[in-house]
Amino acid sequence: MGLETIFGSGFITSQLNKIINWGRKNSFFPLPFVTACCGMEFMATWGSHYDVARFGAELPRFSPRQSDLLMVVGTINHKIAPVLKRVYDQMCEPKWVIAFGACASSGGFYRNYATVQGIDRIIPVDVYIAGCPPRPEAVLEGLMLLQKKVEGEDVLNRGAPIMVNGQAYSEDRLVHVEPPVDHRADQVVASHEGPGVHPWQGFEETERR
Amino acid sequence: MTPEAIHGALQQRFGQAVTAFEADAIDPTVTVEASAIHDVGAFLRSEPGLLFDSLMCLSGMDYGEETSSLGVVYHLHSTSLRHTITLRVEVPRQDGVVPTVCDIWRTAEWHEREAFDLFGMRFDRHPDHRRILLPDDWEGHPLLKDYQVQEFYQGIRVPYEGDPPEIGMDVYRFQDREDPV
Ligand code: SF4
């Protein structure tokens, strides 16, 4: 690159990291590689209700050359695995990968010859999202985790260990998301007992049967 | 027609080629010689009083190591006469060949490709004899009872068990005990 030889790892590069990573993490262009049922949850998450535009990732690009976040959504079998690898190879640096759901992360319950037992057998993965399929909340949490990971990256040396929540991660330290326990669902159920304010949307509910 | 009557008609027409009949199975099944299956199919399809115009299903079978034979099972139905029969053929595991029936029922074309894909059944005079589900360069036929999973497919490790502990799922399972989130 040359920049690091001019500035070294001093004040300017750290400010540069901040600015560039701020831009990158708030403008993901995801490429949805949707192969199976998890795609429904992907669509739900990218719909207006969960409003992924809050994270700047609302614009899926269906070309690997225009995207920087590969979301592998669903079961990957050996027939499509070389295609996935090629799609990954076609993406320009910097690029990140999210394994969306149990199948993409580990093969899920498909313990057989046909299914790749986790896409990390083919391509490096930044964030694994558990669940079959994961709830949109889990997906958003995964996205926020990836943002944290991007925030900690060294722009001039992407392989360097990064800090997530005060813990250092190198490329072989993987970030793993448990689905959040969502107690708000209980409130919704409680609110459905009679007319009241819907706690998620804040509007007055009319008569419920 | 009852299955017994259909079996009777087949026996009258083909004699020795009809080898067995299971009347009390859930699907009454006529076993025929593999070499006769094309003639039997054409007869069942066109004979007035039989008119089996629908091949509901065609499945490959592996009858196991002891018998050392593979098989094909044909589920037939007549939409006009509303009767049903099941045909079965058995061929040796090595070099067994079954005549195709896809010129009688077009459905059979893809079903026979599937039976070839998963069981390695050979179909004589099939117009498009290649795999249908698995990639063309896959090794072996996975539903055979003695199937051995290949070690690598295009550089991807295929077996789903016996991973050494340092690769695969175990990495993040143990590594992330101290919850990073
Ligand atoms: S993890 Fe579950 S929902 Fe997602 S693709 Fe696999 S089976 Fe479907």
Side-chain angles (χ1 to χ4, degrees):
Chain A
M1 284 269 277
L3 274 182
E4 69 272 34
T5 51
I6 299 169
F7 298 122
S9 57
F11 173 76
I12 295 187
T13 37
S14 64
Q15 297 309 303
L16 206 63
N17 277 347
K18 270 189 194 155
I19 295 169
I20 292 178
N21 286 337
W22 172 81
R24 283 178 177 171
K25 75 171 191 177
N26 289 311
S27 64
F28 284 129
F29 287 85
L31 166 65
F33 194 92
V34 177
T35 53
C37 19
C38 268
M40 293 295 136
E41 219 60 32
F42 175 85
M43 293 169 214
T45 315
W46 258 249
S48 56
H49 191 98
Y50 287 94
D51 191 17
V52 86
R54 289 175 291 163
F55 308 98
E58 78 277 22
L59 192 59
R61 309 305 303 177
F62 293 96
S63 158
R65 300 188 193 284
Q66 297 174 355
S67 51
D68 55 7
L69 168 59
L70 178 59
M71 303 205 62
V72 184
V73 184
T75 324
I76 299 297
N77 53 44
H78 285 104
K79 199 171 183 178
I80 207 167
V83 180
L84 174 63
K85 176 80 170 80
R86 173 170 298 190
V87 166
Y88 176 78
D89 288 343
Q90 284 177 341
M91 290 169 63
C92 299
E93 286 283 347
K95 55 189 171 187
W96 299 274
V97 178
I98 288 184
F100 188 117
C103 285
S105 305
S106 67
F109 51 73
Y110 300 107
R111 301 289 284 166
N112 60 31
Y113 64 92
T115 305
V116 179
Q117 301 297 306
I119 58 166
D120 48 7
R121 287 191 176 190
I122 329 170
I123 54 178
V125 178
D126 292 287
V127 175
Y128 298 83
I129 304 176
C132 176
R135 288 183 58 90
E137 290 87 341
V139 180
L140 294 180
E141 177 143 25
L143 200 64
M144 281 158 27
L145 254 163
L146 184 64
Q147 286 188 325
K148 274 188 193 150
K149 185 175 181 185
V150 172
E151 208 172 27
E153 273 182 5
D154 188 347
V155 172
L156 298 175
N157 180 12
R158 281 197 66 228
I162 56 162
M163 301 297 286
V164 177
N165 288 341
Q167 200 172 356
Y169 283 81
S170 62
E171 280 299 304
D172 55 340
R173 293 282 300 190
L174 305 157
V175 180
H176 175 67
V177 186
E178 296 283 346
V181 182
D182 192 350
H183 297 294
R184 288 177 304 175
D186 302 338
Q187 299 171 22
V188 176
V189 171
S191 78
H192 283 184
E193 304 290 283
V197 176
H198 193 299
W200 281 4
Q201 291 157 342
F203 58 75
E204 200 79 26
E205 275 204 319
T206 48
E207 184 89 44
R208 286 191 70 91
R209 262 163 291 138
Chain B
M1 269 173 126
T2 59
E4 287 78 12
I6 295 167
H7 172 240
L10 282 176
Q11 226 169 17
Q12 197 183 9
R13 176 78 165 69
F14 292 98
Q16 294 298 313
V18 179
T19 51
F21 178 52
E22 294 165 49
D24 47 359
I26 295 175
D27 295 323
T29 304
V30 180
T31 307
V32 301
E33 291 289 344
S35 54
I37 187 67
H38 186 271
D39 298 337
V40 170
F43 174 73
L44 286 173
R45 165 117 209 194
S46 56
E47 179 74 5
L50 293 174
L51 294 180
F52 282 98
D53 53 357
S54 165
L55 176 63
M56 294 191 293
C57 185
L58 185 155
S59 343
M61 293 290 289
D62 181 356
Y63 291 111
E65 305 281 301
E66 320 83 61
T67 58
S68 186
S69 59
L70 299 176
V72 183
V73 177
Y74 306 78
H75 284 83
L76 299 172
H77 181 68
S78 166
T79 53
S80 50
L81 303 178
R82 302 187 184 178
H83 52 216
T84 305
I85 195 75
T86 305
L87 298 180
R88 204 173 72 124
V89 302
E90 242 179 273
V91 290
R93 230 183 160 74
Q94 296 295 326
D95 312 322
V97 174
V98 183
T100 180
V101 293
C102 69
D103 51 340
I104 305 171
W105 298 283
R106 271 311 292 283
T107 326
E109 186 176 335
W110 282 15
H111 282 76
E112 286 177 351
R113 279 175 65 186
E114 188 188 10
F116 164 67
D117 196 356
L118 302 178
F119 291 94
M121 290 295 310
R122 298 270 157 193
F123 291 94
D124 197 17
R125 279 177 298 162
H126 191 283
D128 187 17
H129 204 295
R130 59 196 170 97
R131 289 185 183 271
I132 188 169
L133 296 170
L134 292 166
D136 289 336
D137 50 352
W138 194 260
E139 291 161 24
H141 302 280
L143 291 194
L144 289 177
K145 292 193 172 151
D146 55 358
Y147 175 63
Q148 294 289 331
V149 184
Q150 67 198 66
E151 192 67 20
F152 287 98
Y153 172 69
Q154 299 207 357
I156 306 162
R157 206 182 117 79
V158 177
Y160 44 95
E161 45 204 15
D163 276 344
E166 65 271 16
I167 70 162
M169 293 172 60
D170 298 327
V171 177
Y172 44 96
R173 233 183 237 153
F174 293 113
Q175 199 169 48
D176 290 321
R177 281 295 85 132
E178 345 80 282
D179 191 3
V181 183

